[in-house]
């Protein structure tokens, strides 16, 4: 693998991670509910005296260790970049004073656009083939085990984490349902359409519809 290809992988992984973080920020700032991991982390914060970012990175680290023993080939440069980079990017967005709040009439547009952006960013770094991030690794494992599409695997995984987060005390609202139903299709569309561009030299992650 040449140096140019590694630079390309690194760059796209960072770009995808930042885009995903921007989508998450739009989702959270809507105040209507959060994505699956954020809901879980917010629930855990009710019981563990750790900051959001710290819990998020700890969760990703534990999952990466599990995935390493399940199929270490799934882990690569992109795994580390995304698993820990999302939290860093979210902190940068907040420190820059961006998206601290939005007008009430933009709440639903914010969570709709945020979910699509989140799925788009996630798809970009998955397509770098530089290693899946923690949560996406779980999604791929679930897809393999259940022999379903990426869309269905994502919905099942998100639904499970939403439920656990809610039971732990995380906030769930109408926006939660929007994220649950829209994120899977957004991710699948990205995985299937971006490879048509020459910029992405990758295999199709999902072969079913």
């Amino acid at each position: 693998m040449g140096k140019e290809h590694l630079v390309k992988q690194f760059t796209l992984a960072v770009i995808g991670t930042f885009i995903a973080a921007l989508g998450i920020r739009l989702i959270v700032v809507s105040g209507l509910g959060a994505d699956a991991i954020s809901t879980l982390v917010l629930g855990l914060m009710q019981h563990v005296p750790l900051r959001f970012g710290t819990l998020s990175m700890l969760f990703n680290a534990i999952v990466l260790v599990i995935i390493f023993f399940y199929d270490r080939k799934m882990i690569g440069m992109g795994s580390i970049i995304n698993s820990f980079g999302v939290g860093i990017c979210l902190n940068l967005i907040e420190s820059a004073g961006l998206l601290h709040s939005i007008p009430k009439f933009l709440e639903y547009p914010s969570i709709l656009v945020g979910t699509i952006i989140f799925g788009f960013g996630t798809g970009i770094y998955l397509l770098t083939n530089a290693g899946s991030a923690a949560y996406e690794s779980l999604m791929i494992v679930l897809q393999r085990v259940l022999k379903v599409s990426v869309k269905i695997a994502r919905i099942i995984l998100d639904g499970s984490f939403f439920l656990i987060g809610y039971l732990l005390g995380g906030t769930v609202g109408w926006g939660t349902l929007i994220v649950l139903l829209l994120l899977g299709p957004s991710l699948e569309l990205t995985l299937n359409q971006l490879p048509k561009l020459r910029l992405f030299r990758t295999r199709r992650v999902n072969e079913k519809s």
Side-chain angles (χ1 to χ4, degrees):
M1 184 178 295
K3 180 179 179 181
E4 182 178 344
H5 183 74
L6 287 175
V7 171
K8 175 182 173 182
Q9 280 188 315
F10 176 83
T11 302
L12 289 176
V14 171
I15 291 174
T17 295
F18 180 79
I19 291 175
L22 180 60
I24 293 172
R25 184 66 181 175
L26 284 169
I27 292 171
V28 173
V29 79
S30 74
L32 300 173
D35 60 280
I37 295 182
S38 297
T39 301
L40 174 64
V41 171
L42 290 171
L44 288 172
M45 289 178 66
Q46 307 302 314
H47 308 276
V48 181
L50 294 175
R51 298 175 59 186
F52 185 96
T54 303
L55 270 176
S56 178
M57 287 188 284
L58 181 60
F59 167 80
N60 286 334
I62 293 173
V63 172
L64 285 180
V65 170
I66 295 173
I67 297 300
F68 177 81
F69 286 105
Y70 172 81
D71 184 359
R72 65 188 62 186
K73 293 180 180 179
M74 295 175 64
I75 298 177
M77 173 177 60
S79 307
I80 307 302
I81 291 174
N82 186 267
S83 295
F84 301 101
V86 167
I88 295 174
C89 289
L90 285 171
N91 288 338
L92 289 174
I93 292 173
E94 184 176 359
S95 298
L98 302 175
L99 298 174
H100 275 272
S101 63
I102 58 172
K104 190 173 182 60
F105 71 91
L106 289 178
E107 289 177 349
Y108 280 97
S110 176
I111 200 166
L112 284 169
V113 174
T115 302
I116 294 172
I117 291 177
F118 186 20
F120 179 66
T122 299
I124 288 178
Y125 72 72
L126 278 177
L127 287 172
T128 64
N129 280 330
S132 301
Y135 196 65
E136 280 58 49
S137 295
L138 284 179
M139 176 192 70
I140 293 172
V141 169
L142 188 63
Q143 181 200 16
R144 291 178 181 177
V145 172
L146 299 182
K147 294 181 173 58
V148 295
S149 68
V150 166
K151 176 172 60 179
I152 297 302
R154 184 76 188 211
I155 289 176
I156 292 174
L157 191 61
D158 283 352
S160 299
F161 277 80
F162 277 130
L163 178 60
I164 295 172
Y166 173 74
L167 293 176
L168 288 174
T171 302
V172 175
W174 284 110
T176 306
L177 181 62
I178 293 175
V179 175
L180 175 62
L181 296 178
L182 190 58
L183 186 56
S186 174
L187 173 60
E188 184 174 43
L189 181 64
T190 301
L191 292 174
N192 288 333
Q193 295 303 315
L194 282 189
K196 296 178 181 179
L197 302 177
R198 298 185 64 181
L199 178 63
F200 297 91
R201 184 185 65 81
T202 179
R203 60 180 176 82
R204 288 169 66 93
V205 176
N206 175 48
E207 296 296 337
K208 293 185 178 182
S209 57

